[in-house]
C-alpha cells in the first residue's frame, strides 16, 4: 500500500469544520501506471479551498514529482517516485468509487 499524503493539523481542523469532508471524500481511480495515478474526486469541482489544500499537501510530499489538478473535470493526476524494488506500489484498482 502506498501512502500518498497524510493530514496535517490544519487539514484535520478543516475536516472537523466541514461536514462534507468529515463524512468522507468520494473518489475513484481513473487511470494508473507505475509512477502516475489519476483520481476523479467530485469535491474538487465544488470546493476550491479543498482543491487548493489538497494540491499544496501533495506538492509538499517529497515523493510527489508533479500534481496536475483540473477542477472543471474534478480530476487530479499525481506523478510520484516509483521504485521497482517495492512491493507496495499498488494505488487501488478501477473497481468503482471509494470513500476516504
Amino acid at each position: 500500500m502506498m501512502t500518498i499524503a497524510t493530514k496535517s493539523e490544519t487539514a484535520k481542523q478543516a475536516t472537523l469544520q466541514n461536514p462534507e469532508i468529515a463524512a468522507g471524500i468520494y473518489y475513484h481511480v481513473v487511470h494508473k501506471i507505475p509512477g502516475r495515478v489519476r483520481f476523479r474526486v467530485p469535491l474538487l469541482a465544488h470546493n476550491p479551498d479543498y482543491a487548493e489544500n489538497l494540491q499544496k499537501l501533495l506538492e509538499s510530499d517529497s515523493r510527489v514529482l508533479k500534481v496536475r489538478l483540473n477542477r472543471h473535470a474534478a480530476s487530479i493526476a499525481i506523478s510520484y517516485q516509483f521504485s521497482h524494488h517495492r512491493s507496495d506500489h499498488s494505488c487501488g484498482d478501477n473497481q468503482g468509487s471509494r470513500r476516504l
Side-chain angles (χ1 to χ4, degrees), residues 25 44 51-52 64 77:
I25 309 292
L44 293 174
E52 182 180 340
V64 174

Side-chain angles (χ1 to χ4, degrees), residues 11-83:
K12 288 177 186 174
Q13 290 173 353
T15 298
L16 293 174
Q17 294 172 359
N18 190 333
E20 183 178 47
I21 295 173
I25 309 292
Y26 287 97
Y27 73 97
H28 69 270
V29 176
V30 176
H31 175 74
K32 67 175 182 168
I33 58 174
R36 186 171 183 275
V37 62
R38 178 181 300 277
F39 296 96
R40 181 88 56 228
V41 185
L43 185 58
L44 293 174
H46 304 291
N47 188 327
D49 291 332
Y50 173 76
E52 182 180 340
N53 289 335
L54 178 61
Q55 184 165 1
K56 286 179 182 178
L57 179 66
L58 289 167
E59 288 172 343
S60 72
D61 189 313
S62 64
R63 297 165 293 181
V64 174
L65 304 174
K66 183 177 181 182
V67 176
R68 287 187 24 217
L69 192 138
N70 183 334
R71 286 196 47 235
H72 298 292
S75 173
I76 188 163
I78 304 160
S79 297
Y80 58 92
Q81 294 176 0
F82 175 77
S83 171

